[in-house]
Amino acid sequence: MAGKNVLTLTTTNFEAEVSNSDLPVLVDFWATWCGPCRAVAPIVEQLAGEFEGRAKIGKIDVDAEGELARKFNISSIPTLMVFKGGEVVEQVLGARPKSQLASLLEKHV
C-alpha cells in the first residue's frame, strides 16, 4: 500500500532499489494492522514527493516480507531506516513527526 512515489520493497527488488541505489533510501517497515504505522504512512508519502530525485522512499510490509524483517532484526514497528551505499546509516523506532523524519533524511542527501 504505497503512494505513487513510494516503492513497495520486496526480497525480489530490495537489492536493486536499496542496496545498489546511488541515492539514500528511507525504508519504512510497517504492517496493515499497526496503528502507528498507519499514522506515519501519509508522512512517508509526503516525504517521497518532497525528496523526489534526491532520495528514494520505500515501504516493507513485515507480514509479507518476513525474510527482510528478520534480516534487519525488526522487532517493533514502525521502524524507519535510512540506507546509504547499501548500509543502514540511521534508524528510528516508532511514529515520528514529519519534521524529524525529514531532517533524518536531509542529513544524507
Side-chain angles (χ1 to χ4, degrees), residues 15-64:
E15 188 172 338
E17 296 290 356
V18 179
S19 301
N20 297 333
S21 177
D22 293 334
L23 298 173
V25 185
L26 175 69
V27 177
D28 175 16
F29 289 86
W30 72 290
T32 56
W33 49 264
C34 167
C37 299
R38 288 194 305 270
V40 168
I43 295 169
V44 169
E45 291 193 19
Q46 288 172 9
L47 292 174
E50 292 172 17
F51 281 87
E52 188 174 5
R54 300 189 302 143
K56 290 182 179 182
I57 310 292
K59 295 174 74 77
I60 296 175
D61 181 337
V62 297
D63 289 333

Side-chain angles (χ1 to χ4, degrees), residues 1-2 5 10 12 15 20 24 27 30 36 41 45 52 59 64 66 68 70 75 82 99 101 104-105 109:
M1 203 143 70
N5 292 327
T10 65
T12 307
E15 188 172 338
N20 297 333
V27 177
W30 72 290
E45 291 193 19
E52 188 174 5
K59 295 174 74 77
L68 286 171
R70 285 187 296 280
S75 58
V82 177
S99 59
L101 294 178
L104 182 80
L105 191 52
V109 292

Side-chain angles (χ1 to χ4, degrees), residues 84-101:
K84 194 166 186 180
E87 300 294 322
V88 177
V89 293
E90 297 271 354
Q91 176 176 331
V92 293
L93 302 175
R96 301 297 170 99
K98 181 181 174 185
S99 59
Q100 189 175 355
L101 294 178

